[in-house]
Amino acid sequence: MTYSTSSQTQTQTLDAAARAILKTNDRGGYTVPNGRVYPFQWNWDSAFVALGFADFDRDRAWVEIETLFEAQWDDGFLPHIVFWKDDSGYFPGASVWDAHKNPATSGITQPPVAASVIRWLWDSGSKSAREAERMAALYPKVLKWHRWFARHRDPEGRGLVVATHPWETGRDNSPEWDYPASGVDISAVGSYERRDTSHLDAQMRPTKLDYDRYLAIVQFGRDHDWDHDVIARTGPFRVADVGMTMILLRANRDLLALAKILGRSKDYAEIEASIEKTRAGIDWLWNDEVEAFCSRDLISGRSSAMITSASFLSFYAGVGTEKQNQSLIAHLDRISSKIDKMLPSLDPDHEAFDAMRYWRGPCWAVVTFLVARGLLDEGQSEWAERLRLDTAALIRDTGFYEAFCPVSGRGTGGDLFSWTAAMWLFWAGKA
Ligand code: GLC
């Protein structure tokens, strides 16, 4: 594609703006997703942010991931938030989680994109001895985290990832969690003061009922001293998440590639076995009626029967029969005829679709990016490019918002958002 001079200038301006966001949100070794709404280090945000830094400061890119892994627990668990410094602008803070760690952390994890990001970082660099050293130092830590998933997040041995809190999935208020969370007892939650709605329009955020449930599930974990075995077997929220499962499957493939680069032959069989187990187990998430991969509640056995942006991560994970892939592409065709910009976080034909409310409709650059990568890998280059161009247009027309309305293109949630800036630099802004 050839750019006219004016679009070249526009790209340069956006590149500079994206870099400035990452620099402004850099707290020295880690980057906050957004200075006001999310003032700590978030797990999968940092992984994506590293890709953004790779565009102009490779050392800083590695540091982002290294800092995140400094907060890894001894058993391999990698927390979803690291509270490096106190900040009263966010609720629930470190004292609510009460995980007794130094640095203070939350007690749940997030989608494991780190292995894939490390591979992208490695592949996009000069493969210098220094980067090889850094990659080699991170490798055992990532392996340990993946082992933690196998041991503590798959209580039925299906090869899937069981999320024990909606926040773990990274798709906080996806309607996929409405039914599984409906049994959570919120009677002992008590009163609390949310901070998110003092920074942002409440219409764009999860509801009070969502938050009551989030807190009740946190209380359960805290009451069980964050014993992840107990939580995954008996907790009030247990869902085989299609997003985390697909992301872990891809991450295991990338980890295997890293193991091969490093010659860690003693690990190959173990990682291959994990890949095979998930590949074989994934069909439990396929819903024949809606013809898509959907999350499934472990407590009731019920499929969400919802097509979300995460349903399309099957391409990224490299799973799906030809027929399944055809159905998914047909869904992309249908969805794109209903809205202006891809990829909405929920099927616009679903009754729960809400174009401005967080994970119930808006487009999120990070998930769109992962889906686009998968589509490209599976030979769907036109679709991959459509997703990239739509994301680029949303950012260009609106700014670096947390997410975007798929109908009007308006920004939703926080602005000057780190992972949106990173996705511009690594992907959307690259012709
Ligand atoms: C919200 C998002 C989650 C993200 C976090 C920080 O909780 O749902 O995916 O990691 O904000 O940006």
Side-chain angles (χ1 to χ4, degrees), residues 33 38 42 44-45 110 170-172 358-359 364 402 417 419:
Y38 297 110
W42 259 260
W44 74 326
D45 294 64
Q110 259 193 333
R171 298 182 292 129
D172 307 8
Y358 228 45
W359 291 94
W364 293 72
E402 186 173 9
F417 225 84
W419 69 9

Side-chain angles (χ1 to χ4, degrees), residues 164-187:
T164 62
H165 194 300
W167 283 337
E168 252 183 351
T169 68
R171 298 182 292 129
D172 307 8
N173 67 337
S174 170
E176 286 206 290
W177 322 138
D178 291 357
Y179 177 77
S182 62
V184 175
D185 177 8
I186 55 172
S187 59

